[in-house]
Amino acid sequence: LLQSLCIARRRRRSGLGSALVAAAIGDLGADAGCYCHAVEQLRPLYQAAGFRVLCAPPAWLAAEHATIAARQRKRGGDDLILMHFGRAGVLDSFGEALPDASARARESTVEGQR
């Protein structure tokens, strides 16, 4: 789980955040994955590194994601999105593949065209 990436204001937009994310995922094994709770404004940073937005957390992560999102809202922060990076895809607690948000959007578009 990648969480709480913080860059000093004067160092933002310098590539440091991208370098830290790249270093973190660079240490993953070939079949490993990484989840990230991100604010919407950082979506492009994580997507550029290969993260995908999930439409729902896997069952084993649902309670933790809800707790972290509630804490963020209580502090007056932005809503969080759950993102995943992985070479092997996203699996739920039963080993079933979970769709990412872009896959769900594609499915909705195809169904709407029928």
Side-chain angles (χ1 to χ4, degrees), residues 52-73:
R52 297 174 301 151
V53 176
L54 298 180
C55 22
W60 60 268
L61 185 58
E64 182 177 356
H65 178 66
T67 299
I68 291 169
R71 187 179 334 134
Q72 175 79 354
R73 281 191 300 277

Side-chain angles (χ1 to χ4, degrees), residues 47-90:
Q47 284 180 321
F51 281 82
R52 297 174 301 151
V53 176
L54 298 180
C55 22
W60 60 268
L61 185 58
E64 182 177 356
H65 178 66
T67 299
I68 291 169
R71 187 179 334 134
Q72 175 79 354
R73 281 191 300 277
K74 186 176 180 180
R75 293 179 184 162
D78 296 330
D79 286 340
L80 296 178
I81 54 176
L82 182 63
M83 302 187 78
H84 177 264
F85 173 88
R87 298 169 189 92
V90 185

Side-chain angles (χ1 to χ4, degrees), residues 13 17 67 72 96 104 106 113:
R13 314 277 321 153
T67 299
Q72 175 79 354
E96 298 292 324
R104 171 122 349 134
R106 285 191 302 273
Q113 294 174 350

Side-chain angles (χ1 to χ4, degrees), residues 3-112:
Q3 187 174 335
S4 300
L5 175 65
C6 299
I7 307 295
R9 287 191 193 280
R10 69 181 188 282
R11 298 292 309 268
R12 292 179 185 166
R13 314 277 321 153
S14 68
L16 183 57
S18 297
L20 289 170
V21 171
I25 61 177
D27 285 344
L28 296 175
D31 293 332
C34 180
Y35 291 88
C36 172
H37 304 281
V39 293
E40 181 64 39
Q41 68 216 43
L42 293 180
R43 180 194 293 234
L45 169 84
Y46 292 110
Q47 284 180 321
F51 281 82
R52 297 174 301 151
V53 176
L54 298 180
C55 22
W60 60 268
L61 185 58
E64 182 177 356
H65 178 66
T67 299
I68 291 169
R71 187 179 334 134
Q72 175 79 354
R73 281 191 300 277
K74 186 176 180 180
R75 293 179 184 162
D78 296 330
D79 286 340
L80 296 178
I81 54 176
L82 182 63
M83 302 187 78
H84 177 264
F85 173 88
R87 298 169 189 92
V90 185
L91 303 178
D92 68 10
S93 58
F94 301 105
E96 298 292 324
L98 290 174
D100 64 16
S102 59
R104 171 122 349 134
R106 285 191 302 273
E107 290 169 6
S108 297
T109 302
V110 170
E111 287 177 16

